[in-house]
Amino acid sequence: MNSLVVAALLLLLLALSYQVGLSRSRAVAGGSTLKMHSRPNYHGLMVALWCLVPALAILLIWFFVGDDVVRSYTLSLLPAEVVNGDPTQLRDALRRVEQISTGFGVVGDAQPYENAAGQALHEFRLLTFWAMVAVAAGVGIIGLVAMRARIAPRLRARNEFETIVKVLLAICSGIAILTTVGIIASLLREALRFFSFISPADFFFGTVWAPRFAATASGDYGQYGLLPLLWGTIMVSAIAMLVAIPLGLMSAIYLAEYAPRKVRAFAKPMIEILAGIPSVIYGFFALVTLGPALSALGAMIGVPIRATSALTAGIAMGIMIIPFVSSLSDDIITQVPRAMRDGSLGMGATKSETIKRVVLPAALPGIVGAFLLAVSKAFGETMIVVLAAGNAPILRFNPFEATSTVTVSIVNQLTGDTNFASPQSLVAFALGLTLFGMTLCLNVIALYVVRKYREQYE
C-alpha cells in the first residue's frame, strides 16, 4: 500500500510539473516579443526535474534512516528491564510488537506492554509515513514554483536539460566501471589472503586437487592444484564449442541467406526457444537421456564412455549455446548491406562465393563477438557440469571420463557452513580470479582478431 501511494505521488508530481512548465512556457512566449530559446517541452522537463529530484531525495533519505527511527521508537516503548536485559528476550519482544503493529493481531503470549507498544508503533508508522509524503510533496512543489519562476525567453532550458542527461549518463557509466573495479578488488583481496596459506606456485601448477575442510595438527590444508580444474574447464568448453559454433554458424547462414521467408519465420523462433530453457534442465537432460545414450553407443562400438563425463557435459552445453551463436550471427549477417551482395553477384560470383568472400568477412567482427560470448558462457556454466560431468577433479585427458571445472569447485567450496578465514573457502576467490583472467584473455584475443581482419577488409 505504501509503495502504491509513493508511486502515485511521484506520477502526480511528474504530470503536474510538466504541464505547469508547458503552460508557463506558452504563456511567456505569447506575452513577449522575444523568441524563446528552447521549446516548451524542455521547459516542462526542467520543471519536472526540479520538482521530482527534491521529492525523491526526501524519499531516499527516509528509506535509509526510517528503519533506524522506527527501531529507536519501538525500544522507547518497551520497559527498561527488557531493553537492557537478555538479548533473546528483547528480540522476541520486538518480534511480537512487530506482529501486532502489522495487523496480525494480538499474539497469545504477548505482554500488555507489548500490545500497547504494537498499537503505538502502528500509529507511529502511519504518522511518519504520511508526514514523509507531505514533506516530499511540499519540497517538490517548492522546486516546481522555483523553476516556474525562472522560465523566460532567454532561459537555455534545452542546454540545461541536456547537461543533466549527460551527467546522468556519465554517472551510470561510472557506476558500471566502479562495479567492475569493486568486483576485481574483492576477488584480488580474498585471493591474496588465500595465497598466504597456499603457495601460488602450488596453486597454479599443482596437479592434484584434494582440499581439506579441516587442517591437520601439522597445519596441512590439503592440495589445491588448479590444473585438473583448468583442464576440465577447457576440455568441456572445447567440446561445447565444437558442437555450438559449426551448428550455430551454419544455421545462421542458412536462415539469413538461403531459407525462404516462411521457413525463417518458423525456424528462427524455434531455435531461440532453446535460449529460454534453464541450464538445470539441460543438466537433467544430459544426466537422464544424453549420458546413458552416449554410454550405450560406446558399448556398441567398444569404447568405454561414462554416462557422466566431459563429453556428456560438453555436448549438452553446446546444445544450450547454439541459439546464442545462431541468433547473434544471424543478426550480424542480415545487417550486411544488400549492395555488397548484389555487387558480388553482378561480378559473376556464385551465392556460396559471395557468402564466403563478401558476407562473412564483412560480418566477421560481430561473428567473433558471438563466438566470444559463447566461450565465456561455456567457461562460466555450472549446473550442466555439476549434473553431467561427474565432479571428478582429476587431471586426465580422456573426454569419456568424469571431470570437474573451476565453477563446480567454487560451488563445492562455498556450500554448507563456510569460514572465510580458512583456505577451504578463500580458494573460491582465487578460482574466480582465475576464471576472470581467462575471460579477459579471450577478450584481448578477440579484439586482436577483429581489428586485424577489419583492417584487411577496409
Side-chain angles (χ1 to χ4, degrees):
M1 181 63 182
N2 292 351
S3 300
L4 293 177
V5 172
V6 171
L9 171 66
L10 294 177
L11 290 176
L12 178 62
L13 290 177
L14 174 63
L16 175 64
S17 57
Y18 184 75
Q19 289 300 322
V20 167
L22 285 178
S23 301
R24 177 61 178 171
S25 176
R26 290 164 181 162
V28 171
S32 174
T33 58
L34 298 176
K35 183 178 179 180
M36 300 292 287
H37 175 273
S38 303
R39 293 182 179 275
N41 62 307
Y42 285 105
H43 294 120
L45 291 172
M46 286 302 299
V47 174
L49 283 177
W50 276 60
C51 178
L52 284 180
V53 171
L56 282 173
I58 297 297
L59 295 175
L60 287 176
I61 291 174
W62 179 253
F63 175 79
F64 287 110
V65 306
D67 290 340
D68 294 334
V69 173
V70 170
R71 179 176 175 81
S72 298
Y73 179 75
T74 305
L75 292 175
S76 68
L77 299 174
L78 300 178
E81 58 271 16
V82 176
V83 176
N84 300 323
D86 183 22
T88 303
Q89 182 182 0
L90 175 60
R91 184 171 60 252
D92 293 339
L94 290 174
R95 176 178 55 81
R96 288 191 290 268
V97 170
E98 179 70 21
Q99 288 178 342
I100 295 171
S101 67
T102 53
F104 286 101
V106 178
V107 183
D109 58 349
Q111 300 295 326
Y113 67 83
E114 292 175 344
N115 292 327
Q119 297 297 331
L121 178 60
H122 177 71
E123 296 174 358
F124 177 77
R125 275 182 168 155
L126 284 178
L127 177 63
T128 53
F129 172 74
W130 287 109
M132 179 267 298
V133 170
V135 171
V139 172
I141 294 300
I142 293 174
L144 183 153
V145 173
M147 184 60 209
R148 181 181 181 277
R150 291 185 58 211
I151 295 178
R154 292 294 125 199
L155 176 65
R156 299 178 177 271
R158 184 190 65 192
N159 296 352
E160 292 184 9
F161 180 76
E162 291 178 350
T163 300
I164 293 173
V165 171
K166 290 178 182 178
V167 171
L168 291 176
L169 293 176
I171 291 174
C172 293
S173 301
I175 291 175
I177 295 172
L178 290 177
T179 301
T180 304
V181 172
I183 292 173
I184 297 173
S186 63
L187 288 175
L188 186 60
R189 182 187 62 185
E190 301 300 331
L192 291 176
R193 290 179 60 194
F194 167 74
F195 290 131
S196 66
F197 294 96
I198 305 297
S199 168
D202 294 337
F203 175 72
F204 287 108
F205 301 104
T207 59
V208 177
W209 177 265
R212 298 180 186 273
F213 285 91
T216 61
S218 60
D220 182 16
Y221 294 102
Q223 295 177 284
Y224 292 84
L226 174 65
L227 291 182
L229 307 180
L230 185 61
W231 175 248
T233 301
I234 294 174
M235 184 163 56
V236 172
S237 300
I239 295 172
M241 292 304 99
L242 289 175
V243 174
I245 288 179
L247 293 178
L249 182 58
M250 293 303 106
S251 63
I253 292 174
Y254 172 75
L255 291 176
E257 300 294 332
Y258 292 105
R261 184 172 300 177
K262 292 183 179 180
V263 174
R264 174 182 171 84
F266 172 77
K268 186 174 174 62
M270 293 300 296
I271 294 176
E272 292 180 347
I273 286 176
L274 295 175
I277 300 176
S279 60
V280 67
I281 303 301
Y282 286 100
F284 280 125
F285 164 73
L287 181 65
V288 176
T289 304
L290 183 60
L294 291 175
S295 181
L297 178 62
M300 290 176 57
I301 61 177
V303 177
I305 302 177
R306 289 194 53 175
T308 53
S309 62
L311 180 65
T312 303
I315 293 176
M317 192 184 300
I319 295 173
M320 182 188 70
I321 294 174
I322 286 174
F324 292 92
V325 178
S326 176
S327 180
L328 291 176
S329 300
D330 176 68
D331 293 339
I332 295 299
I333 291 173
T334 53
Q335 290 176 7
V336 175
R338 183 68 191 177
M340 298 179 64
R341 296 179 173 86
D342 294 339
S344 176
L345 295 173
M347 294 294 292
T350 64
K351 183 79 169 180
S352 60
E353 290 174 339
T354 299
I355 294 172
K356 182 173 66 174
R357 299 181 181 274
V358 176
V359 176
L360 291 183
L364 181 65
I367 294 175
V368 172
F371 292 170
L372 175 63
L373 176 63
V375 175
S376 300
K377 186 172 181 60
F379 276 176
E381 178 55 41
T382 304
M383 289 307 303
I384 291 178
V385 187
V386 168
L387 294 173
N391 193 18
I394 302 172
L395 184 59
R396 52 166 64 108
F397 298 94
N398 185 0
F400 303 147
E401 296 289 337
T403 187
S404 186
T405 64
V406 173
T407 53
V408 172
S409 297
I410 291 175
V411 173
N412 291 337
Q413 297 306 119
L414 295 180
T415 300
D417 296 333
T418 56
N419 178 13
F420 286 98
S422 64
Q424 291 82 7
S425 297
L426 293 174
V427 68
F429 296 95
L431 293 173
L433 188 63
T434 303
L435 200 61
F436 173 81
M438 294 168 62
T439 306
L440 180 62
C441 290
L442 283 175
N443 284 329
V444 173
I445 294 172
L447 184 62
Y448 170 77
V449 172
V450 169
R451 287 182 175 179
K452 178 181 177 181
Y453 282 92
R454 179 179 292 172
E455 290 174 357
Q456 285 185 354
Y457 174 73
E458 293 176 350

